[in-house]
Amino acid sequence: MTDIQGLYSKKVLDHFFHPRNMGELKGANGVATVGNPVCGDVMRMYIKVKSHISKKLPGGSKSKGKSEEIIEDAKFQTLGCGAAIATSSIATEMIKGKPLEEAEKLTNKAVVEALGGLPPAKIHCSVLAEEAVKKAIEDYRKKKTSSKHQIPNNN
Amino acid sequence: MKRVYLDYAATTPVRPEVVEVMKPYWTEKFGNPSSLHSFGQEARQAVEQAREQIAGILACLPEEIFFTGTTTTSDNLAILGAARAAKKKNRGDHLITSSVEHHAVLDTCRVLEKEGFRLTILPVNKFGEIDPGQVEKAIDEKTVLVTIMYANNEMGTIQPIKEISQVVKKKGVLIHTDRPGSGLLVHTDAAATVEYLDLKLENLGVDLMTIGAHKFGGPKGVGILYLKKGVEVEPVTFGGHHERGLWPGTEAVPLIVGMAEALGLAVSSQSSAVSRVTKLGDKLIKGVLEKIPETILTGHPEKRLADIASFCFKGAEGEAILLRLDAEGIAASSGSACTSGTLEPSHVLLAMGIPPEIAHGSIRFSLGRETTEEEIDYVLKVLPKIIDDIRKMAPKF
């Protein structure tokens, strides 16, 4: 077996030993679990999205201000190797406080770069992190549309 | 930082006595054993003396000992060489091995399979044991080689190699009547066993056996192939008469001298090593199973090597555990996919029926002659929190 510490960049080890935003997020409105235990890596990503009215049109009337959806908080839970933990940890940092449209564009490449590189055998962990973020956003949107549909039904 | 080495099954430190006996052979007695002059002759003498020493310890003839590069190269030479030689003489084309062998054996058998040999890979029970009865059943009239390890390096299970040799020999006499004693051969990879198990060849009954020096206090880069007199093996590398043409290339004189010394020391201190290491290994196993819930001991609970304590921690991943252990100064290893460079967890654990999601949480501690009780206590103090922390990070289902 190779020198395991030497395999990873300082940044990866920092995120592995001091994971950011780790744990369950209470009040999350988007959650996704990716990977599977048979393959060895499971990531769960939680996001809490809030709409902010960015501008109000003058004159008031019926037109509403343009609302922007921001990821106010993000947390993760991961079962997996050092790289799996580090990629999910840094992914939460990269999407926190970001507008949804921007967070959605997170790529595995950006995750790898932010970590100062990953060994080739561990690139799949960054792919998993990207997938986790995208699926969590997808989950948020799905919940949003289904709750919109529910309102007229309840009336 | 405190450093605790518990990866002796990966490699062992060279014994100081071994370093001492190797010393003259680097710069002073540096000759090539094939040279006729006095420089060559003192090197030749050292190599042949080492061969005699080793033959004495293993209870075989000096001409039955061949020096090679490592256990892996010995395994390659033994398996490829014996199988190809047998096929050439039309003795057959069938090989038998087990699902828990080292890759040096399994991958080599697969090379032969591509060459047209039929390969039977025997299953093991949940303890990783091979049933001699199954070996017997797998033998057909075209079987030429059975290769089963003496004990497993990952989880420590000792195979009933004496019984296996007996059933193979009994069958061999019947199917290879032209060569009753050596038509059907038994090879064993004994790499993991030297410091702890009986190595007397007459007791084991095998035709070929491989070991490597660095697993028992010798240097890296030198191995032994025992080849019973009369067993035919083809070379796999070419270019010289060395080791009677079976392992061409200038002999690694200092390493060979060192290996003979290391083997002598390992075998003479075996009984004390077994009792000391068994006590410490048992303490580690008992402590881990008591302190850490959802943990399984892998391998056989009794028929196991004294030095190996291997576990699977459910809901924790092996590499993450290793990184945390390393940060505490503890060196161990894992059969998790993440540490092997492939996406599959250890084939040995899977062969025992351990599901992949549990096999990913495997950790092997392997003890050695320098392991102390204090080191075991330190592991027992540190490990439960590490596993707990890692489990807390995982999503709940």
Side-chain angles (χ1 to χ4, degrees):
Chain A
M1 136 165 309
T2 42
D3 170 13
I4 43 175
Q5 306 276 13
L7 273 174
Y8 289 134
S9 70
K10 279 206 174 97
K11 200 77 188 268
V12 172
L13 292 174
D14 179 41
H15 275 269
F16 171 74
F17 286 110
H18 311 285
R20 329 287 203 264
N21 309 311
M22 194 261 293
E24 200 181 326
L25 178 59
K26 296 263 158 62
N29 50 10
V31 185
T33 307
V34 297
N36 76 65
V38 175
C39 302
D41 299 307
V42 188
M43 281 181 201
R44 185 171 293 166
M45 188 65 67
Y46 301 88
I47 53 170
K48 192 194 268 178
V49 182
K50 264 205 166 166
S51 294
H52 293 256
I53 313 289
S54 55
K55 258 191 277 176
K56 273 207 169 169
L57 290 175
S61 75
K62 281 181 184 172
S63 55
K64 283 182 183 167
K66 192 188 169 204
S67 85
E68 196 177 32
E69 293 170 301
I70 308 267
I71 298 182
E72 278 210 333
D73 204 357
K75 285 185 128 186
F76 80 95
Q77 289 177 312
T78 292
L79 163 62
C81 63
I85 288 162
T87 53
S88 34
S89 165
I90 205 162
T92 59
E93 279 195 329
M94 293 170 86
I95 60 168
K96 227 170 132 171
K98 294 272 163 65
L100 218 52
E101 288 78 31
E102 201 185 323
E104 213 173 9
K105 288 180 192 140
L106 181 81
T107 62
N108 83 296
K109 223 177 134 198
V111 170
V112 174
E113 272 164 23
L115 284 171
L118 275 179
K122 303 290 185 177
I123 297 295
H124 72 276
C125 294
S126 67
V127 175
L128 219 52
E130 178 193 322
E131 203 188 322
V133 168
K134 293 204 162 129
K135 290 252 168 86
I137 294 173
E138 208 175 283
D139 180 61
Y140 161 74
R141 292 212 166 108
K142 218 191 292 168
K143 280 178 182 150
K144 200 176 83 173
T145 42
S146 69
S147 68
K148 264 185 189 164
H149 287 309
Q150 272 166 20
I151 298 162
N153 289 347
N154 291 343
N155 286 346
Chain B
M1 188 178 62
K2 189 189 189 96
R3 294 217 306 162
V4 174
Y5 186 75
L6 287 172
D7 204 11
Y8 285 87
T11 195
T12 62
V14 179
R15 288 179 189 257
E17 303 94 315
V18 172
V19 174
E20 210 48 48
V21 300
M22 289 197 290
K23 267 184 188 163
Y25 297 95
W26 299 107
T27 52
E28 196 188 316
K29 301 179 180 180
F30 64 88
N32 185 327
S34 298
S35 301
L36 281 175
H37 46 63
S38 63
F39 294 85
Q41 289 318 295
E42 61 191 6
R44 167 60 54 206
Q45 213 180 351
V47 169
E48 296 318 317
Q49 209 182 317
R51 203 186 306 276
E52 274 171 38
Q53 241 174 294
I54 291 167
I57 296 162
L58 302 180
C60 66
L61 301 169
E63 59 263 40
E64 293 176 321
I65 296 297
F66 292 80
F67 297 127
T68 65
T70 56
T71 311
T72 297
T73 53
S74 280
D75 283 336
N76 272 262
L77 175 58
I79 296 166
L80 296 175
R84 286 173 183 163
K87 199 177 182 189
K88 211 170 256 181
K89 295 260 166 90
N90 282 321
R91 287 193 195 114
D93 62 358
H94 180 230
L95 312 167
I96 298 170
T97 187
S98 86
S99 52
V100 294
E101 296 302 307
H102 191 278
H103 282 296
V105 168
L106 274 178
D107 292 358
T108 305
C109 287
R110 294 212 174 95
V111 166
L112 289 168
E113 197 179 22
K114 285 198 186 110
E115 284 178 18
F117 281 85
R118 288 176 300 122
L119 177 62
T120 300
I121 301 176
L122 295 173
V124 292
N125 65 15
K126 64 175 178 174
F127 298 130
E129 262 182 313
I130 294 146
D131 170 13
Q134 275 198 311
V135 177
E136 187 170 9
K137 265 185 233 153
I139 295 170
D140 64 33
E141 70 282 1
K142 294 283 184 194
T143 311
V144 290
L145 180 68
V146 176
T147 170
I148 305 275
M149 70 200 328
Y150 191 0
N152 187 275
N153 53 306
E154 279 185 46
M155 44 66 182
T157 297
I158 300 166
Q159 301 299 349
I161 199 71
K162 295 170 199 186
E163 289 79 0
I164 290 170
S165 295
Q166 279 163 11
V167 300
V168 173
K169 289 295 143 190
K170 200 175 78 191
K171 279 266 195 167
V173 180
L174 303 173
I175 60 175
H176 295 288
T177 45
D178 58 326
R179 287 175 68 82
S182 54
L184 175 52
L185 304 170
V186 186
H187 164 247
T188 194
D189 178 327
T193 68
V194 176
E195 292 191 311
Y196 304 102
L197 299 181
D198 174 22
L199 281 176
K200 291 256 187 301
L201 284 153
E202 57 196 18
N203 296 339
L204 299 180
V206 297
D207 303 291
L208 306 97
M209 181 172 85
T210 47
I211 53 177
H214 77 106
K215 305 282 190 190
F216 53 87
K220 292 166 185 68
V222 64
I224 293 172
L225 169 61
Y226 158 78
L227 206 57
K228 196 177 186 172
K229 210 174 170 180
V231 170
E232 290 166 310
V233 169
E234 277 194 357
V236 294
T237 50
F238 304 91
H241 58 276
H242 315 84
E243 299 303 296
R244 280 176 288 142
L246 285 185
W247 197 251
T250 301
E251 297 87 342
V253 183
L255 307 184
I256 289 169
V257 169
M259 175 164 62
E261 179 73 11
L263 185 66
L265 291 168
V267 171
S268 66
S269 60
Q270 209 183 59
S271 61
S272 66
V274 169
S275 61
R276 236 178 56 78
V277 172
T278 302
K279 203 176 132 236
L280 295 175
D282 286 351
K283 180 171 185 179
L284 179 59
I285 291 170
K286 195 164 164 266
V288 166
L289 295 177
E290 266 173 19
K291 287 175 180 238
I292 306 173
E294 296 290 289
T295 299
I296 55 170
L297 175 72
T298 59
H300 200 286
E302 284 109 36
K303 286 181 247 170
R304 59 187 299 126
L305 287 170
D307 59 326
I308 303 217
S310 53
F311 307 95
C312 285
F313 300 101
K314 293 179 191 171
E317 194 278 331
E319 190 210 77
I321 304 170
L322 284 188
L323 283 165
R324 289 285 305 267
L325 283 170
D326 191 44
E328 303 288 346
I330 300 168
S333 63
S334 168
S336 125
C338 286
T339 58
S340 66
T342 71
L343 292 176
E344 291 278 305
S346 152
H347 68 285
V348 173
L349 302 175
L350 297 181
M352 293 191 290
I354 296 173
E357 60 270 29
I358 293 174
H360 285 299
S362 88
I363 292 290
R364 177 193 69 187
F365 296 99
S366 47
L367 290 64
R369 58 185 178 274
E370 284 162 28
T371 303
T372 63
E373 185 155 12
E374 193 202 342
E375 290 176 328
I376 300 300
D377 289 338
Y378 178 61
V379 173
L380 290 174
K381 195 181 121 203
V382 167
L383 187 63
K385 182 173 180 337
I386 290 177
I387 303 296
D388 193 44
D389 286 351
I390 291 173
R391 281 176 175 165
K392 276 187 186 147
M393 296 177 87
K396 306 285 167 288
F397 292 96

